[in-house]
Amino acid sequence: PEANYMAAFTSKNPDDKNVFDAHWTKILADKTNFNKTILFERQVAGYVSSFIMFDERNVSYWLGQDFWGKGVATAALAKFLEHVAARPLYG
């Protein structure tokens, strides 16, 4: 719940798995998006994503609370930016 509160994009019903699955199906089908899973110590920690919104390329990430405060998001974003050449990027 705390991570959902902090997120810029939240579902009206974050516990509804059908809404979540439909949202991610749409995201993954859009070939203009770039999506990567964040791994930390062989565990899925979250994701980093780039997408177009209002004709601007944005970057966003989500990280599970167990991984906060360990530099995981910073490292993942830095690595992601090596592979996404589009600039400018908005967060």
Side-chain angles (χ1 to χ4, degrees):
E2 188 174 345
N4 283 334
Y5 174 77
M6 292 174 61
F9 307 105
T10 59
S11 171
K12 290 179 180 155
N13 185 355
D15 297 324
D16 187 337
K17 187 175 178 340
N18 292 326
V19 172
F20 178 86
D21 289 348
H23 176 68
W24 271 100
T25 297
K26 182 178 173 183
I27 287 171
L28 294 173
D30 186 335
K31 301 302 180 197
T32 66
N33 294 338
F34 305 111
N35 306 288
K36 294 292 180 183
T37 300
I38 300 172
L39 297 176
F40 180 74
E41 296 179 352
R42 301 173 83 172
Q43 293 183 316
V44 173
Y47 69 85
V48 61
S49 181
S50 180
F51 54 93
I52 297 172
M53 183 170 64
F54 305 122
D55 296 323
E56 297 176 339
R57 178 151 297 278
N58 288 259
V59 65
S60 180
Y61 65 89
W62 186 91
L63 196 66
Q65 191 171 9
D66 291 345
F67 303 96
W68 295 0
K70 298 177 181 181
V72 176
T74 301
L77 183 58
K79 190 73 170 171
F80 186 77
L81 293 177
E82 292 175 9
H83 299 283
V84 176
R87 297 294 186 275
L89 285 175
Y90 299 88

